[in-house]
Amino acid sequence: MTELQGAAVVFAPLFAIFGVCFIVFHQHISDAARRAYKDQGRRIGPQTQSPGLMIVGGIGMLIISTVIVPYAFTNVFPPPPPQ
């Protein structure tokens, strides 16, 4: 097993779990981040840690977790030829 395959075995499930949690708990995560910003005295705008941002981040993590496994274990994305 190569280093990339080992990393894929470890990180793909973790990214998938975090991605699902970001999607499912997007409102709770957003509210917690806004409270933390408010407690620190930072400005809170309409786009500060918006729930939509949490959903987009979760979808991105799910995409990464599904792409890294075929990349690591198959020749779907072949390496560039040596120069």
Side-chain angles (χ1 to χ4, degrees), residues 11-78:
F11 289 110
L14 289 175
F15 276 23
I17 291 168
F18 276 100
V20 169
C21 287
F22 271 42
I23 293 169
V24 172
F25 302 115
H26 64 275
Q27 188 65 50
H28 181 71
I29 295 169
S30 177
D31 291 344
R34 286 174 171 265
R35 278 193 306 272
Y37 277 26
K38 185 178 179 182
D39 291 345
Q40 294 172 2
R42 295 168 70 182
R43 180 185 170 279
I44 300 174
Q47 296 299 318
T48 303
Q49 294 293 327
S50 67
L53 178 65
M54 297 297 108
I55 292 173
V56 169
I59 291 171
M61 291 179 128
L62 284 175
I63 290 170
I64 289 170
S65 71
T66 57
V67 169
I68 194 171
V69 173
Y71 179 78
F73 287 98
T74 65
N75 203 17
V76 172
F77 307 105

